[in-house]
Amino acid sequence: MNALTHKKKKRGQIPLRLNVLFLFVFILFSFLILQLGVVQILNGEEARKRVNETENTTASIAVPRGLIYDQFGKLLLDNEPERSITYTPPKNGDSAEKRLEIAEKLAKLMMMDEDFESLKAMVRERDKKEYWYLFNVKEANDRLTDEEKELTTSEQYQAILNHIKPEDYNEFDWNDRDLLNVVAIKKELDQAFELSPHTIKNENVTEEEYALVSENLNQLPGIDAKIDWNRVKPYDQTFSSFIGNITTSNEGIPRENQDYYLTMGYSRNDRVGTSGLEQYYESVLSGQKEIIQYTTDNNGNILGTETVKQGKSGNDLILTIDIEFQKEVDQIVREELEQYIKSSPYENRYMTDALVAMLDPQTGDVIALSGAHYDRENDQFVDQAYRVIYDSHVPGSVVKGATMLTGYETGVVSPGTVLVDRPIKIAATPRKQSWRTMGRINDKTAIIQSSNVYMFEIALGISGAQYRENEPLRGFNSEGFQIMRNYFHQFGLGSRTGIDLPYEATGFVGSNIQDGGLLLDFAIGQYDNYTTLQLAQYISTIANDGYRVSPRIVKEIRQANGNKDTLGPVIERFSPNVLNRISMDDRYIDTIQDSLRRVATEGTGRGHWANNQYNVAVKTGTAQNVFFENGIKRETHNLTLVGYAPYEEPEMAFAIVVPRTGRGTDQTGIHHNIGNRIVNRYFERKEEREEAGIDETAIEEMSEADE
């Protein structure tokens, strides 16, 4: 009976235990379902995003930049293939220890630089500290103060480096070439970003180095040996200032514009334009980067790659210049500068530059931009054409056409107005006069014979001043400065010309002070300063019947086709960009044009231009250029010349500025010599091309050959 009772109790306990177990399992599953719901509903988007980030990551690979040609299809900027060693870190990067291991292996296969001094210069003090730290982590970390331990990770690391002294890292032999090579390589590896190819070396990679690295890629994770490209200028320094430069792969995108470039899809080590056309047309030349998608595991190891978007080389630029003519202009300017300085070395002891800008007045196309500079310290003449758009100078009488048109537009004078040219004597102001007293003259004669006094009268009229000999000006209004400048700006004098370059100077503007004498100086080009390019746009505006057109260096953008000998289809062809028109009254421009033509035939320029066969209109200028050297006053001249040809249907306009020449040199001026030579050579080359059957359709024939 007891046994039976015991069995019944045992059978009664089993269901109870099962119920407890079932209840426990039910609660467990309920908890799991609840957690799944939280993950699915509340955190699902974040979880999916994290899965995507860890599984698929994209990176971009740079493509060759577009090429640059002159207007006849001659290659001015090329891509030259070169061997390159790169490093692409995995997702989340390699550890410092891993990078050191890779550097040590790679150092056995290649040298960063064969020259010991250059190699030594690559390794900075910070690099030595970081190398020592890898072998002494605990000791270095123990040097942190309690306060420093509260800093952020990056701040702590900098503090650690600050505690490392020369006696620490000098335990290594920094005269050991192999050690320097390892550290120099590691330095490059440290600069790389995850899944982004970083160039370790792409200059002077030998065939042997390239082959050795290629053969050992399986032992060098992230390392690759491939063909890269380098920018090459076949015409060396000719027009180089305006073609511009790009960063190296080590420099990458400029730090000051880093955010901009990163948002535009650039990688940190991408090469970008830093000056000239390379910078201005960066978006055109850079091309479309190849997009690679990396599939990685949770540890960041790359499981596979896929090309998401094919890369596309940058588009090509066709310029407005004829590079052969540009070379000739450079040679003319350099020869004349050298001859002029050597002919009177003492008198011209402060003279260093000769600048030329040539434009097509109807289209704004740049024909040539040239600047020769005499490096007195090294006694050599060098190309510094950038001074044409960067340096500003007092222009002298060449601006009298702008002053006269301002007089017309403001109603102070009109075509045919007669005024008396005589010395102007304002109290407390040096006497102001023309180069000779001309008596009664009209507006045309004032330009032809370069009357200062006629321009003074215009300035006085604009300012509302009343002149009486030997007395202060009465009723002078300093707003006259701004009135005249507003008109001058319409010519491009004192304002941006609009040239397609990343930077151009706008000149120097004097103060609008209550000094009528300075306004008179302004009227004859002896106050505000202008660049040579501004002067070229000014004379082009007169030649083009008052229409101011922005200068342009790039004529077309063409699609790259992979063949340097032919051109791809036109993507964009630039038309003339008219900025403004000076005058609605054609009489005003006609009067100035006729006066400038007669300057060459019977006026101040006749001694140099009367016999020129190309029917040139010109205006000469000589401006006082006073400066101080070591507290001593130095008096020199700026020689200037502007003009255009032929007079009836202008094809070319030019401006020439030669600063700080010896005094009294206008009649034998270098500016006239340069002017005649460049004008003559321009039309001679045109005739030569016509005889040879070469014209602007030559570049279209290159396109047809490709089609």
Side-chain angles (χ1 to χ4, degrees):
M1 188 68 179
N2 292 335
L4 180 61
T5 302
H6 177 72
K7 290 180 180 179
K8 287 181 178 180
K9 288 182 178 180
K10 191 173 183 179
R11 284 197 297 270
Q13 290 175 352
I14 291 174
L16 179 62
R17 291 175 180 175
L18 285 174
N19 288 337
V20 172
L21 178 62
F22 289 151
L23 179 62
F24 176 76
V25 172
F26 175 76
I27 292 172
L28 180 62
F29 272 99
S30 298
F31 179 76
L32 290 175
I33 292 171
L34 180 63
Q35 285 295 99
L36 181 61
V38 170
V39 172
Q40 186 76 16
I41 298 172
L42 299 181
N43 301 324
E45 184 63 30
E46 183 179 350
R48 281 192 295 273
K49 184 178 179 181
R50 181 162 180 79
V51 168
N52 289 337
E53 286 180 348
T54 55
E55 290 187 350
N56 297 302
T57 305
T58 60
S60 56
I61 299 177
V63 295
R65 291 174 72 85
L67 309 179
I68 296 181
Y69 298 83
D70 82 344
Q71 67 163 311
F72 296 114
K74 292 188 177 179
L75 191 59
L76 308 184
L77 186 62
D78 194 6
N79 291 323
E80 184 178 78
E82 60 183 4
R83 292 180 286 270
S84 175
I85 309 299
T86 65
Y87 169 58
T88 305
K91 182 155 180 76
N92 302 323
D94 282 323
S95 66
E97 292 76 14
K98 180 67 173 178
R99 293 195 297 273
L100 177 59
E101 180 185 340
I102 296 172
E104 289 173 339
K105 290 180 179 179
L106 193 56
K108 296 177 181 178
L109 308 175
M110 58 169 278
M111 289 292 297
M112 289 296 289
D113 202 304
E114 292 295 335
D115 181 72
F116 178 74
E117 292 302 322
S118 298
L119 183 62
K120 198 171 183 178
M122 291 182 183
V123 180
R124 305 163 302 172
E125 182 183 33
R126 182 185 178 92
D127 304 320
K128 297 176 182 179
K129 289 183 176 183
E130 291 181 336
Y131 185 75
W132 181 88
Y133 176 71
L134 287 175
F135 298 96
N136 302 274
V137 176
K138 186 178 184 307
E139 179 183 347
N141 290 342
D142 289 343
R143 297 181 183 181
L144 288 174
T145 65
D146 291 338
E147 291 181 354
E148 290 171 339
K149 291 177 181 177
E150 300 300 321
L151 299 173
T152 64
T153 302
S154 60
E155 290 172 336
Q156 279 190 34
Y157 184 65
Q158 184 57 53
I160 290 171
L161 294 181
N162 292 339
H163 286 302
I164 299 174
K165 304 302 179 185
E167 54 265 28
D168 295 321
Y169 59 74
N170 281 334
E171 69 181 44
F172 298 104
D173 181 7
W174 296 109
N175 288 315
D176 184 338
R177 180 188 294 269
D178 293 334
L179 174 62
L180 289 171
N181 193 39
V182 169
V183 176
I185 293 174
K186 180 184 174 298
K187 173 183 174 180
E188 291 298 329
L189 302 184
D190 291 343
Q191 296 177 26
F193 294 89
E194 62 177 36
L195 301 178
S196 180
H198 176 81
T199 301
I200 301 171
K201 181 181 179 182
N202 64 353
E203 294 183 5
N204 303 317
V205 177
T206 66
E207 291 185 18
E208 182 181 3
E209 288 175 336
Y210 189 79
L212 287 172
V213 173
S214 299
E215 293 169 2
N216 291 276
L217 293 179
N218 61 329
Q219 301 176 35
L220 300 165
I223 301 298
D224 196 6
K226 59 183 182 179
I227 299 299
D228 200 354
W229 52 267
N230 186 37
R231 289 303 234 185
V232 176
K233 298 175 181 177
Y235 286 85
D236 196 23
Q237 292 302 306
T238 304
F239 213 66
S240 178
S241 297
F242 304 108
I243 292 174
N245 296 297
I246 62 173
T247 59
T248 65
S249 56
N250 288 336
E251 293 169 337
I253 57 178
R255 289 188 178 182
E256 61 270 21
N257 298 320
Q258 189 176 87
D259 291 342
Y260 166 78
Y261 283 111
L262 291 176
T263 57
M264 296 297 292
Y266 285 78
S267 300
R268 285 178 172 81
N269 64 330
D270 280 344
R271 285 171 283 186
V272 298
T274 57
S275 62
L277 300 176
E278 288 270 37
Q279 180 179 355
Y280 191 87
Y281 289 95
E282 169 64 29
S283 61
V284 174
L285 294 167
S286 61
Q288 178 179 290
K289 301 174 73 172
E290 183 174 331
I291 307 299
I292 303 295
Q293 179 173 281
Y294 292 91
T295 302
T296 61
D297 59 21
N298 290 332
N299 294 322
N301 298 315
I302 297 176
L303 304 178
T305 62
E306 179 184 358
T307 300
V308 177
K309 193 173 186 180
Q310 291 289 343
K312 183 181 178 183
S313 297
N315 293 318
D316 300 334
L317 303 181
I318 311 300
L319 305 191
T320 60
I321 69 163
D322 170 1
I323 193 62
E324 296 299 336
F325 179 65
Q326 176 69 52
K327 283 174 58 179
E328 291 184 328
V329 172
D330 289 346
Q331 182 178 351
I332 289 169
V333 176
R334 185 173 57 253
E335 287 177 352
E336 291 296 334
L337 179 63
E338 183 174 3
Q339 189 278 330
Y340 206 69
I341 290 176
K342 290 184 176 179
S343 65
S344 303
Y346 181 77
E347 187 175 38
N348 292 320
R349 62 192 179 279
Y350 303 113
M351 181 178 175
T352 57
D353 300 291
L355 309 172
V356 172
M358 300 179 68
L359 305 176
D360 182 327
Q362 299 183 49
T363 65
D365 288 355
V366 169
I367 298 173
L369 299 173
S370 183
H373 176 76
Y374 178 42
D375 180 353
R376 290 184 174 276
E377 184 176 342
N378 297 305
D379 190 26
Q380 61 180 352
F381 291 85
V382 295
D383 183 293
Q384 291 189 354
Y386 60 84
R387 294 181 180 274
V388 171
I389 64 170
Y390 289 170
D391 291 1
S392 58
H393 305 277
V394 181
S397 296
V398 293
V399 303
K400 287 178 178 175
T403 301
M404 188 66 73
L405 279 165
T406 301
Y408 293 155
E409 292 292 331
T410 56
V412 173
V413 294
S414 60
T417 296
V418 174
L419 298 174
V420 178
D421 182 300
R422 80 288 186 204
I424 299 290
K425 303 173 184 178
I426 303 173
T429 300
R431 188 166 79 164
K432 297 179 179 297
Q433 60 189 28
S434 301
W435 62 281
R436 67 178 177 85
T437 300
M438 302 178 191
R440 293 174 57 83
I441 56 173
N442 63 19
D443 52 322
K444 282 192 175 184
T445 302
I447 295 291
I448 297 168
Q449 296 298 328
S450 198
S451 167
N452 287 344
V453 174
Y454 202 101
M455 307 305 149
F456 296 157
E457 293 285 4
I458 291 175
L460 291 172
I462 290 173
S463 69
Q466 296 178 4
Y467 166 70
R468 290 183 180 178
E469 188 173 331
N470 294 322
E471 294 183 9
L473 291 177
R474 297 180 181 180
F476 174 76
N477 187 344
S478 62
E479 290 184 5
F481 281 105
Q482 198 55 50
I483 293 172
M484 295 196 71
R485 286 194 180 109
N486 288 342
Y487 282 102
F488 274 47
H489 288 174
Q490 295 180 46
F491 290 99
L493 297 172
S495 61
R496 297 190 185 281
T497 66
I499 192 170
D500 49 341
L501 287 171
Y503 174 79
E504 62 167 316
T506 55
F508 172 78
V509 177
S511 302
N512 294 359
I513 61 176
Q514 196 71 21
D515 187 335
L518 293 179
L519 183 63
L520 304 191
D521 292 339
F522 177 92
I524 62 170
Q526 288 279 177
Y527 193 46
D528 285 5
N529 295 5
Y530 310 119
T531 68
T532 309
L533 181 65
Q534 288 175 326
L535 293 173
Q537 186 181 55
Y538 149 69
I539 195 63
S540 293
T541 302
I542 293 175
N544 196 31
D545 298 329
Y547 291 94
R548 181 165 75 107
V549 182
S550 58
R552 178 166 290 282
I553 298 178
V554 173
K555 185 176 185 178
E556 296 174 348
I557 298 174
R558 290 189 174 243
Q559 183 178 318
N561 64 359
N563 185 347
K564 298 175 184 178
D565 297 325
T566 60
L567 299 174
V570 175
I571 295 175
E572 185 173 4
R573 179 174 285 125
F574 296 103
S575 301
N577 179 28
V578 178
L579 300 175
N580 58 268
R581 190 182 183 192
I582 296 299
S583 174
M584 293 298 108
D585 191 327
D586 292 339
R587 293 181 308 149
Y588 298 163
I589 291 293
D590 290 344
T591 300
I592 299 300
Q593 290 174 339
D594 182 63
S595 300
L596 295 179
R597 173 61 191 139
R598 292 171 64 184
V599 169
T601 58
E602 59 188 84
T604 55
R606 68 185 183 280
H608 296 277
W609 293 95
N611 296 324
N612 189 288
Q613 61 179 310
Y614 297 111
N615 201 14
V616 186
V618 299
K619 183 69 190 80
T620 62
T622 305
Q624 295 179 3
N625 186 341
V626 179
F627 65 97
F628 288 86
E629 180 185 58
N630 299 323
I632 301 174
K633 183 179 180 181
R634 306 297 186 187
E635 297 183 353
T636 63
H637 278 163
N638 290 347
L639 299 183
T640 58
L641 179 70
V642 297
Y644 59 90
Y647 170 70
E648 292 82 4
E649 294 292 335
E651 297 178 24
M652 56 89 76
F654 61 88
I656 300 168
V657 178
V658 186
R660 293 188 176 183
T661 66
R663 293 177 60 80
T665 54
D666 179 57
Q667 296 308 309
T668 57
I670 177 178
H671 50 332
H672 292 295
N673 298 342
I674 293 174
N676 270 281
R677 290 184 66 182
I678 62 175
V679 167
N680 293 343
R681 194 65 197 115
Y682 173 84
F683 288 104
E684 288 168 1
R685 282 192 63 82
K686 180 182 176 182
E687 294 166 4
E688 291 168 2
R689 288 197 304 270
E690 290 174 350
E691 291 176 1
I694 301 173
D695 55 25
E696 293 187 0
T697 62
I699 201 161
E700 296 302 328
E701 292 173 1
M702 290 181 66
S703 304
E704 293 170 6
D706 183 47
E707 295 170 3

